[in-house]
Amino acid sequence: MSDVFDLLVIGAGMAGTSAANKCAAQGWRVGIVDALPYGGTCALRGCDPKKILRRGAEVIDAARLMNGTGIQENGLSVDWAALMQRKRGFTDGVPKGMEDELTGNGATTFHGHAEFTGPNTLSIDGTTHQAERFLIASGATPKPLTFPGAEHLIDSTQFLDLEELPKRIVFIGGGFISFEFAHIAARAGAQCTIVDHGPRPLREFDPDLVGLLVSRSEQAGIRILRDTRVSTVDATSTGLQIGVDSDGIAKRIHADLVVHGAGRVPNVESLRLDAAGIASGPRGVTVAGHLQSTTNTAVYAAGDAADTAGRPLTPVAVFEGKVAASNMLKGTTTAPDYIGVPTTIFTIPELNRVGLLEEEAAPSHDIAIRFTDTSGWYSTYRAAETTAAAKVIIDTRTDQILGAHLLGPGYSELINTFGLAIKLGLTTRQLRSATATYPSLGSDLGSLL
């Protein structure tokens, strides 16, 4: 058994490294372990590489939208292998950079499989380590699928490492992964189909804007099947056959690749939480508001592995990791503040949300809805985009913003202003009093209110 650590962190993603660096910099003896390269999902297998690939799709889409208005496409296309190499130009250096920062702060880094062997002990590839405290920040993993042939699917990590882009791709699930990847692949020349078991995809987002995005997706060549369940996936001599059931009618879809986009679950199954008396559920480790385990006071959890009020987003993981570290260092019980955290689906154009949906705000507030079709506005016309809209939900009693929902080119930047307004409790009158540089997307803010 090794010497006793002040803190052992499981997971070297954004939540884990944020906490480990903070505690190590304060002089604690910190260890951190991950079976995968350091950097986590966002930097290596999610947000960052995805958006690098999306840049290629943006260029293609922008040229097509501007075709005939002074821009000639002239056979513009995506070289998938070169674009993937561009992605690796960023991701390849992340693990060493992350690990160097940790060791520079005095942390000890481990590579291997971790599992609990007792309330204060953790085994890393068979070697037992003891610690006063633990932080579980092991992230999430693709949700297990049980239909016959599920083994033929690839997950998001594998999609982001494809050397070649197949011609026919089916995405299972109507969430972030399916829509973002389909928008990239379609602009790169693939025939894309999204299969969603529910009546409306992207259920966490405003339904009116989702409807507009679905139409825009279909215009981009993406087929979206709703109320459709996958029954089987079979390998054939010509690719894959996906058996689906839609309104009781069995159908077959032919594809070269099937991608798992049907959700993710906390990655805690292999940690042997029961050996340490750590309670957990479908949403991860059961924690109090200040991120401490409800059943083992030596344990904290943050990010996608923790059952908190926060959405599974990178910024949430980062500040949960920092809050957990601060609580451990100071012996405090501060809870993270989730107010005003925006989220974006990086389709083309992008769909954004911060705060409450209309259906969430209406029962407990007197609300005013500001819905604006911005497809004809200057900022949209300039980009030759055809689809853009905004819905802002305002509390008529306080004049404060309860929710903002934006669909349009570049709107992932504008949503941040709404997030700040919600967090600080700014009124629409205060927001309208600001003067923005013009002509910029930010100058549209006042008119949306």
Side-chain angles (χ1 to χ4, degrees), residues 44-280:
L44 297 177
R45 305 176 292 275
C47 321
D48 292 342
K50 165 203 72 187
K51 204 171 179 191
I52 290 174
L53 297 183
R54 180 185 184 263
R55 181 57 184 156
E58 288 178 86
V59 171
I60 293 293
D61 197 67
R64 289 175 180 169
L65 289 172
M66 292 290 291
N67 190 41
T69 64
I71 301 296
Q72 302 298 324
E73 288 185 75
N74 293 331
L76 186 68
S77 63
V78 170
D79 181 334
W80 185 262
L83 187 60
M84 192 62 67
Q85 188 59 38
R86 170 74 174 168
K87 180 218 73 167
R88 293 193 181 103
F90 172 81
T91 58
D92 285 356
V94 169
K96 185 179 186 302
M98 289 274 197
E99 194 161 358
D100 286 350
E101 182 181 11
L102 287 160
T103 56
N105 281 323
T108 301
T109 58
F110 298 96
H111 298 267
H113 171 69
E115 61 181 39
F116 285 96
T117 55
N120 289 92
T121 54
L122 189 75
S123 171
I124 301 175
D125 284 347
T127 299
T128 300
H129 302 268
Q130 188 172 353
E132 296 290 336
R133 303 162 196 85
F134 299 86
L135 175 68
I136 299 173
S138 49
T141 190
K143 175 184 176 181
L145 300 177
T146 58
F147 53 76
E151 68 274 11
H152 297 305
L153 275 63
I154 70 165
D155 60 22
S156 56
T157 298
Q158 294 165 305
F159 181 89
L160 290 170
D161 266 337
L162 286 174
E163 292 293 343
E164 296 181 2
L165 189 69
K167 187 66 176 175
R168 303 168 300 173
I169 306 176
V170 170
F171 298 90
I172 296 178
F176 279 74
I177 291 172
S178 293
F179 269 81
E180 290 181 335
F181 286 179
H183 271 252
I184 293 169
R187 269 62 176 221
Q191 299 171 9
C192 297
T193 301
I194 295 174
V195 178
D196 186 24
H197 69 84
R200 176 170 65 86
L202 305 174
R203 288 180 291 279
E204 291 187 13
F205 290 80
D206 179 80
D208 293 325
L209 299 191
V210 168
L212 293 174
L213 177 59
V214 166
S215 296
R216 179 69 170 87
S217 302
E218 291 170 340
Q219 290 170 12
I222 301 167
R223 183 168 60 148
I224 300 172
L225 305 180
R226 287 171 278 191
D227 290 315
T228 302
R229 293 185 177 274
V230 176
S231 55
T232 61
V233 176
D234 298 310
T236 71
S237 59
T238 58
L240 297 168
Q241 277 195 357
I242 303 94
V244 299
D245 184 285
S246 181
D247 293 328
I249 301 173
K251 301 177 182 178
R252 289 273 176 176
I253 304 172
H254 299 275
D256 302 305
L257 183 72
V258 184
V259 181
H260 182 339
R264 294 167 66 83
V265 294
N267 185 25
V268 297
E269 187 68 28
S270 66
L271 297 182
R272 291 195 62 216
L273 299 180
D274 56 330
I278 303 168
S280 67

Side-chain angles (χ1 to χ4, degrees), residues 208-428:
D208 293 325
L209 299 191
V210 168
L212 293 174
L213 177 59
V214 166
S215 296
R216 179 69 170 87
S217 302
E218 291 170 340
Q219 290 170 12
I222 301 167
R223 183 168 60 148
I224 300 172
L225 305 180
R226 287 171 278 191
D227 290 315
T228 302
R229 293 185 177 274
V230 176
S231 55
T232 61
V233 176
D234 298 310
T236 71
S237 59
T238 58
L240 297 168
Q241 277 195 357
I242 303 94
V244 299
D245 184 285
S246 181
D247 293 328
I249 301 173
K251 301 177 182 178
R252 289 273 176 176
I253 304 172
H254 299 275
D256 302 305
L257 183 72
V258 184
V259 181
H260 182 339
R264 294 167 66 83
V265 294
N267 185 25
V268 297
E269 187 68 28
S270 66
L271 297 182
R272 291 195 62 216
L273 299 180
D274 56 330
I278 303 168
S280 67
R283 287 173 48 85
V285 176
T286 305
V287 294
H290 61 286
L291 305 177
Q292 188 175 32
S293 166
T294 57
T295 56
N296 182 337
T297 56
V299 174
Y300 287 72
D304 294 359
D307 185 357
T308 71
R311 289 193 177 91
L313 303 169
T314 298
V316 171
V318 171
F319 71 64
E320 283 187 350
K322 291 179 178 178
V323 168
S326 181
N327 283 334
M328 287 186 280
L329 286 165
K330 300 175 182 178
T332 51
T333 57
T334 301
D337 180 5
Y338 299 106
I339 295 173
V341 177
T343 180
T344 297
I345 296 180
F346 283 100
T347 47
I348 303 173
E350 56 231 35
L351 177 63
N352 309 268
R353 169 193 176 172
V354 66
L356 301 178
L357 293 168
E358 184 178 346
E359 63 197 48
E360 295 169 337
S364 54
H365 299 270
D366 293 326
I367 62 173
I369 304 296
R370 304 280 190 267
F371 181 86
T372 311
D373 180 349
T374 58
S375 60
W377 284 25
Y378 169 79
S379 53
T380 310
Y381 176 85
R382 184 191 67 82
E385 179 54 71
T386 59
T387 303
K391 179 185 288 188
V392 183
I393 304 167
I394 301 166
D395 187 318
T396 57
R397 183 179 60 84
T398 64
D399 193 38
Q400 293 174 335
I401 296 169
L402 298 173
H405 309 273
L406 310 177
L407 172 67
Y411 281 19
S412 59
E413 298 299 333
L414 189 56
I415 199 69
N416 293 323
T417 303
F418 282 104
L420 185 63
I422 291 174
K423 188 174 186 67
L424 299 181
L426 302 179
T427 65
T428 66

